[in-house]
Amino acid sequence: MVERFEQRVLRLAPLVLCLSLGWYFWRLGAPTGWGMIDLKVYWTLAPNLLTDQLYTIDMPFTADFPLPFTYPPFAAVVFLPLSWLPWVAARIVWQVLSLVCLWWLVRTALALVATRSGQRFDGTWSRRALLWTALALWCEPVRKTLDFGQINLVLIAGTFAAVVATRHLVAGFGVGVAAGLKLTPAISVLYFLVTRRFRAALWTAVGFAFTVAVGFVASASDSWRYWFELLGAADRVGPVGSAINQSLRGALSRTLGHDVEMTWPWLLAVAVSAVLTGFALRAAVRAGDTLATVVAVQLFGLLLSPISWSHHWVWVIPLVLWAVYGARRTWPVLAVAAAWVVVTGADLITFLIDQQPSIWEIPRPWPLAALGWCYPLLGLLTLAVMPAAVRADDRRPAGAPLTTTSTKAEPSVP
């Protein structure tokens, strides 16, 4: 019955996507009114790399919060061509590119599910990709990414494509380049290690070293300052205790009323998340579930990072797709997936941001501090239910690793 209902809905998938995009752009209004403040930082400050002032000049935003360039120098090199465009054109290009990457992210996740179940990625799966793209457009991490002009959709789509690539060089070098743009994709090395793709892990180091070298060629002084002075300065990135920071450190800081930094509460929380991640990865690797393995690794990275803005949690999209199509349909995993849909669809983070008197004031009333745990808590619950939710792959011997050192060990994504 559920399948028949889905087939009826899927016939309308192209129309639903067009309506979703139409409503989205109608709400945005004319491109001249698009804020996209983070994109403006990239567009405005990237050329400062050419004068060795990338980390010296900030872009005024508010009186107490000038926006600096926080990414490695290689990111500025990549953003330079975008800065050559007029500001209106840059906004349009980035919106379109981000939306294409959203579709690609959905399609890649569904392709992994289809491949693992022995199905061809046919018209039904393509329509599913269109339908889920239309729905994902309205979840909070995606909307905030688009509103801010953030790099998340582009970066995550590229990282995802690299991680599941068949060739070790492509997979590893791609992840290394992604980590050179923004450090967070480096957690993907854990995926290569648990799936025994050690050559891919080595190529990640090569790719990352390549980006560092390019940065030093472009500006030795800015590169030296970033890697040896600014790296690890979370307060430079933004307010750790703000509700928009949905990492363990952010949630604990709001609960305890001060930045916990890397003290025992944070270490304890990381230990708990590491144990849950270990069990989830063990089950996913044994079952040969690529998508579950990728999702578990990325959730751990989001929890572990000092700063995980709510719009960094775009990985929720492949997570929900795995729960709906790739996992056992038990009530715990469906309940967690439903909770993710409600929390991200209701835009709880925006409500919490509106309730805080200042982004810099960490103390919160306990109900708001409790609600501020929404993403980290759901991330931990997701890792907890994963071991019982992954489906065994009958085509793979019990206990066999997800990949081997062979470049043909893992099916490529169509």
Side-chain angles (χ1 to χ4, degrees):
M1 182 176 180
V2 175
E3 287 75 11
R4 286 200 300 270
F5 175 76
E6 185 194 31
Q7 288 300 320
R8 292 176 182 174
V9 174
L10 288 179
R11 292 174 189 155
L12 302 174
L15 175 61
V16 173
L17 179 60
C18 289
L19 291 174
S20 181
L21 289 171
W23 177 247
Y24 170 72
F25 280 109
W26 182 83
R27 290 187 60 180
L28 274 183
T32 52
W34 299 352
M36 304 182 73
I37 188 65
D38 287 327
L39 180 66
K40 194 166 188 179
V41 172
Y42 314 148
W43 182 83
T44 302
L45 299 184
N48 292 330
L49 180 74
L50 303 177
T51 58
D52 299 330
Q53 293 181 307
L54 183 61
Y55 303 109
T56 302
I57 301 175
D58 297 336
M59 193 187 77
F61 180 49
T62 62
D64 63 340
F65 190 25
L67 294 174
F69 194 92
T70 59
Y71 297 161
F74 178 73
V77 175
V78 173
F79 282 121
L80 274 176
L82 190 69
S83 68
W84 300 336
L85 296 175
W87 175 225
V88 171
R91 283 180 283 188
I92 294 173
V93 168
W94 199 252
Q95 280 278 347
V96 173
L97 178 60
S98 296
L99 289 169
V100 170
C101 287
L102 173 62
W103 166 79
W104 175 255
L105 178 67
V106 172
R107 187 186 186 280
T108 303
L110 291 176
L112 288 173
V113 175
T115 301
R116 184 170 181 271
S117 59
Q119 301 180 43
R120 186 172 60 88
F121 195 87
D122 56 11
T124 297
W125 285 103
S126 295
R127 287 191 292 275
R128 281 175 178 156
L130 297 179
L131 180 63
W132 281 98
T133 301
L135 299 176
L137 177 60
W138 298 100
C139 80
E140 193 269 346
V142 171
R143 282 191 293 112
K144 285 292 189 291
T145 292
L146 294 170
D147 290 346
F148 294 151
Q150 255 284 343
I151 195 176
N152 301 310
L153 283 167
V154 177
L155 187 69
I156 288 174
T159 301
F160 201 5
V163 165
V164 300
T166 303
R167 296 181 60 192
H168 293 294
L169 186 154
V170 174
F173 198 86
V175 169
V177 170
L181 281 168
K182 187 176 181 179
L183 299 178
T184 50
I187 192 65
S188 303
V189 174
L190 179 59
Y191 172 85
F192 295 142
L193 296 179
V194 298
T195 56
R196 302 182 183 180
R197 299 190 68 182
F198 301 122
R199 278 189 287 171
L202 290 175
W203 276 113
T204 300
V206 173
F208 184 72
F210 167 77
T211 67
V212 174
V214 169
F216 269 96
V217 170
S219 175
S221 61
D222 279 334
S223 295
W224 182 271
R225 186 180 179 196
Y226 179 84
W227 294 112
F228 296 100
E229 296 179 23
L230 302 178
L231 185 64
D235 56 345
R236 185 175 183 271
V237 178
V240 173
S242 175
I244 198 172
N245 181 19
Q246 288 292 300
S247 67
L248 288 173
R249 178 170 165 179
L252 285 168
S253 297
R254 290 187 293 272
T255 300
L256 299 179
H258 62 88
D259 184 1
V260 297
E261 298 181 335
M262 294 185 180
T263 55
W264 71 264
W266 181 82
L267 292 173
L268 179 61
V270 168
V272 171
S273 62
V275 170
L276 293 176
T277 302
F279 282 115
L281 289 175
R282 181 184 180 189
V285 170
R286 286 187 171 184
D289 193 330
T290 302
L291 184 54
T293 308
V294 172
V295 166
V297 167
Q298 300 302 331
L299 282 181
F300 182 55
L302 289 165
L303 293 168
L304 184 66
S305 176
I307 298 286
S308 290
W309 304 132
S310 61
H311 46 81
H312 292 171
W313 288 75
V314 175
W315 287 106
V316 168
I317 295 169
L319 186 164
V320 171
L321 293 175
W322 169 78
V324 173
Y325 296 106
R328 293 176 180 172
R329 292 187 177 179
T330 59
W331 74 263
V333 71
L334 291 178
V336 169
W340 276 118
V341 171
V342 170
V343 168
T344 58
D347 205 356
L348 178 59
I349 303 301
T350 298
F351 166 77
L352 292 173
I353 292 172
D354 291 340
Q355 300 306 306
Q356 59 190 23
S358 166
I359 58 176
W360 297 106
E361 293 182 27
I362 292 182
R364 303 280 184 271
W366 73 263
L368 298 181
L371 286 174
W373 273 89
C374 55
Y375 284 18
L377 180 59
L378 282 177
L380 292 171
L381 289 174
T382 302
L383 293 171
V385 303
M386 263 192 177
V390 292
R391 292 176 176 173
D393 188 349
D394 296 332
R395 298 169 299 154
R396 191 182 298 273
L402 182 62
T403 61
T404 67
T405 54
S406 169
T407 58
K408 297 181 180 181
E410 187 173 319
S412 61
V413 178

